[in-house]
Amino acid sequence: MDHRIYQTPPLIVPPTKKSQSPKQSTVSFKDVLQEQNQLKISKHATERMHERNISINDKQWELIQDKMQEAKDKGVTDSLVVLNDATLVVSTSNNTVVTAMDRHEFSSKIFTNINGTILIQD
């Protein structure tokens, strides 16, 4: 067995072609932050809202989003949002509506894994 140490030649990597003019991002931090705080509706919630004919207007969505932020500020991570005609289970930690049901279904359900409730009356 040969115990000598041999030096290996350095690895030469050919230079890559650089783009002619790198584009600077025009998106500001404020825009990115605002996008992250936007209310999202999960695919599951979208399907449930469609199946159950639940419609929520823009004013209500804005109110829901505001109340979710208030709940998040108070340490609530998963919440039940009770509206006049519908009930939503939301995750305030990632601003997502998880599921939705109409008011008739609400009366016969048990909600688990929530640590807050938001009541909204129109």
PDB file of all heavy atoms in Angstrom, residues 55-85:
ATOM      1  N   SER A  55     -71.880  33.214   0.293  1.00  0.00           N
ATOM      2  CA  SER A  55     -71.245  34.360  -0.362  1.00  0.00           C
ATOM      3  C   SER A  55     -70.977  35.429   0.693  1.00  0.00           C
ATOM      4  O   SER A  55     -71.822  35.720   1.540  1.00  0.00           O
ATOM      5  CB  SER A  55     -72.124  34.909  -1.486  1.00  0.00           C
ATOM      6  OG  SER A  55     -73.327  35.383  -0.957  1.00  0.00           O
ATOM      7  N   ILE A  56     -69.785  35.969   0.618  1.00  0.00           N
ATOM      8  CA  ILE A  56     -69.360  37.002   1.554  1.00  0.00           C
ATOM      9  C   ILE A  56     -68.901  38.188   0.731  1.00  0.00           C
ATOM     10  O   ILE A  56     -68.068  38.041  -0.165  1.00  0.00           O
ATOM     11  CB  ILE A  56     -68.232  36.472   2.467  1.00  0.00           C
ATOM     12  CG1 ILE A  56     -68.752  35.270   3.276  1.00  0.00           C
ATOM     13  CG2 ILE A  56     -67.716  37.568   3.377  1.00  0.00           C
ATOM     14  CD1 ILE A  56     -67.715  34.575   4.111  1.00  0.00           C
ATOM     15  N   ASN A  57     -69.452  39.353   1.012  1.00  0.00           N
ATOM     16  CA  ASN A  57     -69.117  40.525   0.205  1.00  0.00           C
ATOM     17  C   ASN A  57     -67.762  41.111   0.619  1.00  0.00           C
ATOM     18  O   ASN A  57     -67.187  40.728   1.652  1.00  0.00           O
ATOM     19  CB  ASN A  57     -70.231  41.575   0.264  1.00  0.00           C
ATOM     20  CG  ASN A  57     -70.445  42.150   1.644  1.00  0.00           C
ATOM     21  OD1 ASN A  57     -69.495  42.395   2.383  1.00  0.00           O
ATOM     22  ND2 ASN A  57     -71.711  42.360   2.006  1.00  0.00           N
ATOM     23  N   ASP A  58     -67.273  42.044  -0.175  1.00  0.00           N
ATOM     24  CA  ASP A  58     -65.956  42.630   0.056  1.00  0.00           C
ATOM     25  C   ASP A  58     -65.848  43.328   1.409  1.00  0.00           C
ATOM     26  O   ASP A  58     -64.822  43.244   2.083  1.00  0.00           O
ATOM     27  CB  ASP A  58     -65.606  43.617  -1.062  1.00  0.00           C
ATOM     28  CG  ASP A  58     -65.364  42.927  -2.393  1.00  0.00           C
ATOM     29  OD1 ASP A  58     -65.091  41.706  -2.391  1.00  0.00           O
ATOM     30  OD2 ASP A  58     -65.439  43.612  -3.438  1.00  0.00           O
ATOM     31  N   LYS A  59     -66.915  44.013   1.789  1.00  0.00           N
ATOM     32  CA  LYS A  59     -66.916  44.716   3.078  1.00  0.00           C
ATOM     33  C   LYS A  59     -66.745  43.715   4.224  1.00  0.00           C
ATOM     34  O   LYS A  59     -65.987  43.965   5.170  1.00  0.00           O
ATOM     35  CB  LYS A  59     -68.219  45.501   3.235  1.00  0.00           C
ATOM     36  CG  LYS A  59     -68.303  46.296   4.509  1.00  0.00           C
ATOM     37  CD  LYS A  59     -69.625  47.039   4.594  1.00  0.00           C
ATOM     38  CE  LYS A  59     -69.750  47.736   5.941  1.00  0.00           C
ATOM     39  NZ  LYS A  59     -71.057  48.352   6.127  1.00  0.00           N
ATOM     40  N   GLN A  60     -67.449  42.584   4.138  1.00  0.00           N
ATOM     41  CA  GLN A  60     -67.333  41.558   5.170  1.00  0.00           C
ATOM     42  C   GLN A  60     -65.924  40.952   5.185  1.00  0.00           C
ATOM     43  O   GLN A  60     -65.369  40.704   6.257  1.00  0.00           O
ATOM     44  CB  GLN A  60     -68.365  40.452   4.943  1.00  0.00           C
ATOM     45  CG  GLN A  60     -69.782  40.879   5.250  1.00  0.00           C
ATOM     46  CD  GLN A  60     -70.786  39.815   4.864  1.00  0.00           C
ATOM     47  OE1 GLN A  60     -70.703  39.217   3.789  1.00  0.00           O
ATOM     48  NE2 GLN A  60     -71.747  39.562   5.741  1.00  0.00           N
ATOM     49  N   TRP A  61     -65.339  40.719   3.998  1.00  0.00           N
ATOM     50  CA  TRP A  61     -63.979  40.167   3.942  1.00  0.00           C
ATOM     51  C   TRP A  61     -62.994  41.115   4.616  1.00  0.00           C
ATOM     52  O   TRP A  61     -62.091  40.679   5.342  1.00  0.00           O
ATOM     53  CB  TRP A  61     -63.546  39.893   2.504  1.00  0.00           C
ATOM     54  CG  TRP A  61     -64.101  38.627   1.924  1.00  0.00           C
ATOM     55  CD1 TRP A  61     -64.843  38.510   0.791  1.00  0.00           C
ATOM     56  CD2 TRP A  61     -63.957  37.289   2.431  1.00  0.00           C
ATOM     57  NE1 TRP A  61     -65.169  37.185   0.566  1.00  0.00           N
ATOM     58  CE2 TRP A  61     -64.640  36.423   1.556  1.00  0.00           C
ATOM     59  CE3 TRP A  61     -63.328  36.746   3.541  1.00  0.00           C
ATOM     60  CZ2 TRP A  61     -64.702  35.034   1.752  1.00  0.00           C
ATOM     61  CZ3 TRP A  61     -63.384  35.359   3.746  1.00  0.00           C
ATOM     62  CH2 TRP A  61     -64.064  34.532   2.859  1.00  0.00           C
ATOM     63  N   GLU A  62     -63.149  42.402   4.361  1.00  0.00           N
ATOM     64  CA  GLU A  62     -62.256  43.384   4.988  1.00  0.00           C
ATOM     65  C   GLU A  62     -62.406  43.362   6.508  1.00  0.00           C
ATOM     66  O   GLU A  62     -61.412  43.418   7.248  1.00  0.00           O
ATOM     67  CB  GLU A  62     -62.552  44.787   4.458  1.00  0.00           C
ATOM     68  CG  GLU A  62     -62.092  45.009   3.038  1.00  0.00           C
ATOM     69  CD  GLU A  62     -62.461  46.391   2.512  1.00  0.00           C
ATOM     70  OE1 GLU A  62     -62.637  47.314   3.342  1.00  0.00           O
ATOM     71  OE2 GLU A  62     -62.575  46.539   1.289  1.00  0.00           O
ATOM     72  N   LEU A  63     -63.641  43.272   6.973  1.00  0.00           N
ATOM     73  CA  LEU A  63     -63.898  43.218   8.407  1.00  0.00           C
ATOM     74  C   LEU A  63     -63.311  41.938   9.013  1.00  0.00           C
ATOM     75  O   LEU A  63     -62.693  41.974  10.082  1.00  0.00           O
ATOM     76  CB  LEU A  63     -65.400  43.304   8.669  1.00  0.00           C
ATOM     77  CG  LEU A  63     -65.844  43.373  10.130  1.00  0.00           C
ATOM     78  CD1 LEU A  63     -65.207  44.560  10.839  1.00  0.00           C
ATOM     79  CD2 LEU A  63     -67.360  43.452  10.203  1.00  0.00           C
ATOM     80  N   ILE A  64     -63.487  40.834   8.315  1.00  0.00           N
ATOM     81  CA  ILE A  64     -62.920  39.558   8.781  1.00  0.00           C
ATOM     82  C   ILE A  64     -61.408  39.673   8.888  1.00  0.00           C
ATOM     83  O   ILE A  64     -60.807  39.273   9.890  1.00  0.00           O
ATOM     84  CB  ILE A  64     -63.322  38.405   7.837  1.00  0.00           C
ATOM     85  CG1 ILE A  64     -64.821  38.113   7.954  1.00  0.00           C
ATOM     86  CG2 ILE A  64     -62.503  37.150   8.132  1.00  0.00           C
ATOM     87  CD1 ILE A  64     -65.370  37.208   6.875  1.00  0.00           C
ATOM     88  N   GLN A  65     -60.789  40.241   7.870  1.00  0.00           N
ATOM     89  CA  GLN A  65     -59.334  40.379   7.874  1.00  0.00           C
ATOM     90  C   GLN A  65     -58.879  41.271   9.032  1.00  0.00           C
ATOM     91  O   GLN A  65     -57.906  40.950   9.728  1.00  0.00           O
ATOM     92  CB  GLN A  65     -58.852  40.948   6.546  1.00  0.00           C
ATOM     93  CG  GLN A  65     -57.350  41.019   6.439  1.00  0.00           C
ATOM     94  CD  GLN A  65     -56.894  41.360   5.039  1.00  0.00           C
ATOM     95  OE1 GLN A  65     -57.665  41.379   4.089  1.00  0.00           O
ATOM     96  NE2 GLN A  65     -55.621  41.618   4.895  1.00  0.00           N
ATOM     97  N   ASP A  66     -59.574  42.375   9.261  1.00  0.00           N
ATOM     98  CA  ASP A  66     -59.225  43.271  10.370  1.00  0.00           C
ATOM     99  C   ASP A  66     -59.352  42.561  11.717  1.00  0.00           C
ATOM    100  O   ASP A  66     -58.475  42.669  12.581  1.00  0.00           O
ATOM    101  CB  ASP A  66     -60.104  44.520  10.366  1.00  0.00           C
ATOM    102  CG  ASP A  66     -59.836  45.436   9.174  1.00  0.00           C
ATOM    103  OD1 ASP A  66     -58.774  45.290   8.532  1.00  0.00           O
ATOM    104  OD2 ASP A  66     -60.702  46.293   8.894  1.00  0.00           O
ATOM    105  N   LYS A  67     -60.436  41.840  11.895  1.00  0.00           N
ATOM    106  CA  LYS A  67     -60.673  41.133  13.160  1.00  0.00           C
ATOM    107  C   LYS A  67     -59.667  39.992  13.346  1.00  0.00           C
ATOM    108  O   LYS A  67     -59.247  39.704  14.469  1.00  0.00           O
ATOM    109  CB  LYS A  67     -62.111  40.605  13.241  1.00  0.00           C
ATOM    110  CG  LYS A  67     -63.142  41.707  13.330  1.00  0.00           C
ATOM    111  CD  LYS A  67     -62.931  42.543  14.575  1.00  0.00           C
ATOM    112  CE  LYS A  67     -63.971  43.630  14.701  1.00  0.00           C
ATOM    113  NZ  LYS A  67     -63.749  44.472  15.859  1.00  0.00           N
ATOM    114  N   MET A  68     -59.287  39.354  12.254  1.00  0.00           N
ATOM    115  CA  MET A  68     -58.269  38.305  12.355  1.00  0.00           C
ATOM    116  C   MET A  68     -56.945  38.897  12.815  1.00  0.00           C
ATOM    117  O   MET A  68     -56.231  38.289  13.617  1.00  0.00           O
ATOM    118  CB  MET A  68     -58.096  37.586  11.009  1.00  0.00           C
ATOM    119  CG  MET A  68     -59.190  36.580  10.716  1.00  0.00           C
ATOM    120  SD  MET A  68     -59.009  35.799   9.092  1.00  0.00           S
ATOM    121  CE  MET A  68     -57.451  34.946   9.251  1.00  0.00           C
ATOM    122  N   GLN A  69     -56.606  40.086  12.332  1.00  0.00           N
ATOM    123  CA  GLN A  69     -55.370  40.735  12.750  1.00  0.00           C
ATOM    124  C   GLN A  69     -55.437  41.090  14.241  1.00  0.00           C
ATOM    125  O   GLN A  69     -54.469  40.912  14.969  1.00  0.00           O
ATOM    126  CB  GLN A  69     -55.092  41.986  11.919  1.00  0.00           C
ATOM    127  CG  GLN A  69     -53.762  42.638  12.220  1.00  0.00           C
ATOM    128  CD  GLN A  69     -52.583  41.713  11.994  1.00  0.00           C
ATOM    129  OE1 GLN A  69     -52.473  41.076  10.964  1.00  0.00           O
ATOM    130  NE2 GLN A  69     -51.695  41.644  12.969  1.00  0.00           N
ATOM    131  N   GLU A  70     -56.599  41.573  14.689  1.00  0.00           N
ATOM    132  CA  GLU A  70     -56.773  41.869  16.112  1.00  0.00           C
ATOM    133  C   GLU A  70     -56.595  40.608  16.952  1.00  0.00           C
ATOM    134  O   GLU A  70     -55.932  40.632  17.991  1.00  0.00           O
ATOM    135  CB  GLU A  70     -58.165  42.445  16.375  1.00  0.00           C
ATOM    136  CG  GLU A  70     -58.348  43.886  15.986  1.00  0.00           C
ATOM    137  CD  GLU A  70     -59.748  44.380  16.319  1.00  0.00           C
ATOM    138  OE1 GLU A  70     -60.277  44.032  17.414  1.00  0.00           O
ATOM    139  OE2 GLU A  70     -60.324  45.112  15.496  1.00  0.00           O
ATOM    140  N   ALA A  71     -57.192  39.512  16.492  1.00  0.00           N
ATOM    141  CA  ALA A  71     -57.073  38.242  17.215  1.00  0.00           C
ATOM    142  C   ALA A  71     -55.616  37.772  17.240  1.00  0.00           C
ATOM    143  O   ALA A  71     -55.126  37.314  18.269  1.00  0.00           O
ATOM    144  CB  ALA A  71     -57.968  37.186  16.563  1.00  0.00           C
ATOM    145  N   LYS A  72     -54.945  37.920  16.108  1.00  0.00           N
ATOM    146  CA  LYS A  72     -53.532  37.529  16.035  1.00  0.00           C
ATOM    147  C   LYS A  72     -52.703  38.352  17.016  1.00  0.00           C
ATOM    148  O   LYS A  72     -51.830  37.811  17.698  1.00  0.00           O
ATOM    149  CB  LYS A  72     -53.021  37.718  14.603  1.00  0.00           C
ATOM    150  CG  LYS A  72     -51.615  37.244  14.390  1.00  0.00           C
ATOM    151  CD  LYS A  72     -51.230  37.396  12.927  1.00  0.00           C
ATOM    152  CE  LYS A  72     -49.871  36.812  12.656  1.00  0.00           C
ATOM    153  NZ  LYS A  72     -49.518  36.870  11.225  1.00  0.00           N
ATOM    154  N   ASP A  73     -52.985  39.641  17.110  1.00  0.00           N
ATOM    155  CA  ASP A  73     -52.275  40.510  18.035  1.00  0.00           C
ATOM    156  C   ASP A  73     -52.483  40.088  19.491  1.00  0.00           C
ATOM    157  O   ASP A  73     -51.635  40.337  20.350  1.00  0.00           O
ATOM    158  CB  ASP A  73     -52.704  41.968  17.860  1.00  0.00           C
ATOM    159  CG  ASP A  73     -52.282  42.548  16.511  1.00  0.00           C
ATOM    160  OD1 ASP A  73     -51.393  41.962  15.850  1.00  0.00           O
ATOM    161  OD2 ASP A  73     -52.850  43.590  16.122  1.00  0.00           O
ATOM    162  N   LYS A  74     -53.614  39.435  19.760  1.00  0.00           N
ATOM    163  CA  LYS A  74     -53.916  38.965  21.117  1.00  0.00           C
ATOM    164  C   LYS A  74     -53.416  37.544  21.362  1.00  0.00           C
ATOM    165  O   LYS A  74     -53.694  36.971  22.416  1.00  0.00           O
ATOM    166  CB  LYS A  74     -55.420  39.049  21.379  1.00  0.00           C
ATOM    167  CG  LYS A  74     -55.922  40.477  21.428  1.00  0.00           C
ATOM    168  CD  LYS A  74     -57.393  40.538  21.730  1.00  0.00           C
ATOM    169  CE  LYS A  74     -57.810  42.004  21.784  1.00  0.00           C
ATOM    170  NZ  LYS A  74     -59.138  42.175  22.316  1.00  0.00           N
ATOM    171  N   GLY A  75     -52.746  36.958  20.373  1.00  0.00           N
ATOM    172  CA  GLY A  75     -52.175  35.628  20.557  1.00  0.00           C
ATOM    173  C   GLY A  75     -53.024  34.476  20.051  1.00  0.00           C
ATOM    174  O   GLY A  75     -52.682  33.316  20.247  1.00  0.00           O
ATOM    175  N   VAL A  76     -54.133  34.782  19.415  1.00  0.00           N
ATOM    176  CA  VAL A  76     -54.997  33.738  18.866  1.00  0.00           C
ATOM    177  C   VAL A  76     -54.367  33.211  17.587  1.00  0.00           C
ATOM    178  O   VAL A  76     -53.970  33.984  16.722  1.00  0.00           O
ATOM    179  CB  VAL A  76     -56.415  34.284  18.589  1.00  0.00           C
ATOM    180  CG1 VAL A  76     -57.288  33.243  17.920  1.00  0.00           C
ATOM    181  CG2 VAL A  76     -57.057  34.772  19.876  1.00  0.00           C
ATOM    182  N   THR A  77     -54.283  31.878  17.466  1.00  0.00           N
ATOM    183  CA  THR A  77     -53.698  31.293  16.259  1.00  0.00           C
ATOM    184  C   THR A  77     -54.750  30.660  15.355  1.00  0.00           C
ATOM    185  O   THR A  77     -54.645  30.738  14.140  1.00  0.00           O
ATOM    186  CB  THR A  77     -52.652  30.221  16.614  1.00  0.00           C
ATOM    187  OG1 THR A  77     -53.257  29.237  17.458  1.00  0.00           O
ATOM    188  CG2 THR A  77     -51.461  30.846  17.308  1.00  0.00           C
ATOM    189  N   ASP A  78     -55.756  30.040  15.948  1.00  0.00           N
ATOM    190  CA  ASP A  78     -56.834  29.416  15.175  1.00  0.00           C
ATOM    191  C   ASP A  78     -58.151  29.870  15.770  1.00  0.00           C
ATOM    192  O   ASP A  78     -58.365  29.769  16.980  1.00  0.00           O
ATOM    193  CB  ASP A  78     -56.723  27.892  15.239  1.00  0.00           C
ATOM    194  CG  ASP A  78     -55.427  27.406  14.627  1.00  0.00           C
ATOM    195  OD1 ASP A  78     -55.272  27.566  13.405  1.00  0.00           O
ATOM    196  OD2 ASP A  78     -54.570  26.891  15.370  1.00  0.00           O
ATOM    197  N   SER A  79     -59.028  30.365  14.897  1.00  0.00           N
ATOM    198  CA  SER A  79     -60.233  30.999  15.404  1.00  0.00           C
ATOM    199  C   SER A  79     -61.469  30.575  14.633  1.00  0.00           C
ATOM    200  O   SER A  79     -61.389  30.155  13.481  1.00  0.00           O
ATOM    201  CB  SER A  79     -60.066  32.518  15.316  1.00  0.00           C
ATOM    202  OG  SER A  79     -61.193  33.167  15.842  1.00  0.00           O
ATOM    203  N   LEU A  80     -62.590  30.727  15.287  1.00  0.00           N
ATOM    204  CA  LEU A  80     -63.894  30.513  14.674  1.00  0.00           C
ATOM    205  C   LEU A  80     -64.482  31.893  14.415  1.00  0.00           C
ATOM    206  O   LEU A  80     -64.572  32.718  15.323  1.00  0.00           O
ATOM    207  CB  LEU A  80     -64.789  29.725  15.635  1.00  0.00           C
ATOM    208  CG  LEU A  80     -66.187  29.388  15.167  1.00  0.00           C
ATOM    209  CD1 LEU A  80     -66.118  28.389  14.012  1.00  0.00           C
ATOM    210  CD2 LEU A  80     -66.997  28.815  16.315  1.00  0.00           C
ATOM    211  N   VAL A  81     -64.851  32.176  13.171  1.00  0.00           N
ATOM    212  CA  VAL A  81     -65.461  33.456  12.806  1.00  0.00           C
ATOM    213  C   VAL A  81     -66.943  33.188  12.566  1.00  0.00           C
ATOM    214  O   VAL A  81     -67.301  32.405  11.688  1.00  0.00           O
ATOM    215  CB  VAL A  81     -64.817  34.056  11.536  1.00  0.00           C
ATOM    216  CG1 VAL A  81     -65.515  35.350  11.146  1.00  0.00           C
ATOM    217  CG2 VAL A  81     -63.332  34.288  11.752  1.00  0.00           C
ATOM    218  N   VAL A  82     -67.776  33.824  13.365  1.00  0.00           N
ATOM    219  CA  VAL A  82     -69.219  33.618  13.263  1.00  0.00           C
ATOM    220  C   VAL A  82     -69.836  34.852  12.631  1.00  0.00           C
ATOM    221  O   VAL A  82     -69.779  35.952  13.179  1.00  0.00           O
ATOM    222  CB  VAL A  82     -69.843  33.353  14.654  1.00  0.00           C
ATOM    223  CG1 VAL A  82     -71.333  33.114  14.529  1.00  0.00           C
ATOM    224  CG2 VAL A  82     -69.165  32.163  15.326  1.00  0.00           C
ATOM    225  N   LEU A  83     -70.415  34.667  11.453  1.00  0.00           N
ATOM    226  CA  LEU A  83     -71.129  35.729  10.736  1.00  0.00           C
ATOM    227  C   LEU A  83     -72.623  35.476  10.862  1.00  0.00           C
ATOM    228  O   LEU A  83     -73.052  34.446  11.406  1.00  0.00           O
ATOM    229  CB  LEU A  83     -70.718  35.729   9.260  1.00  0.00           C
ATOM    230  CG  LEU A  83     -69.232  35.918   8.971  1.00  0.00           C
ATOM    231  CD1 LEU A  83     -68.906  35.497   7.548  1.00  0.00           C
ATOM    232  CD2 LEU A  83     -68.845  37.357   9.202  1.00  0.00           C
ATOM    233  N   ASN A  84     -73.451  36.357  10.337  1.00  0.00           N
ATOM    234  CA  ASN A  84     -74.903  36.155  10.383  1.00  0.00           C
ATOM    235  C   ASN A  84     -75.334  34.893   9.647  1.00  0.00           C
ATOM    236  O   ASN A  84     -76.199  34.163  10.123  1.00  0.00           O
ATOM    237  CB  ASN A  84     -75.628  37.357   9.787  1.00  0.00           C
ATOM    238  CG  ASN A  84     -75.544  38.571  10.674  1.00  0.00           C
ATOM    239  OD1 ASN A  84     -75.278  38.467  11.869  1.00  0.00           O
ATOM    240  ND2 ASN A  84     -75.752  39.745  10.102  1.00  0.00           N
ATOM    241  N   ASP A  85     -74.753  34.634   8.479  1.00  0.00           N
ATOM    242  CA  ASP A  85     -75.198  33.516   7.655  1.00  0.00           C
ATOM    243  C   ASP A  85     -74.180  32.399   7.497  1.00  0.00           C
ATOM    244  O   ASP A  85     -74.473  31.387   6.877  1.00  0.00           O
ATOM    245  CB  ASP A  85     -75.562  34.026   6.248  1.00  0.00           C
ATOM    246  CG  ASP A  85     -76.687  35.035   6.296  1.00  0.00           C
ATOM    247  OD1 ASP A  85     -77.574  34.891   7.159  1.00  0.00           O
ATOM    248  OD2 ASP A  85     -76.663  35.976   5.483  1.00  0.00           O
TER     249      ASP A  85
END
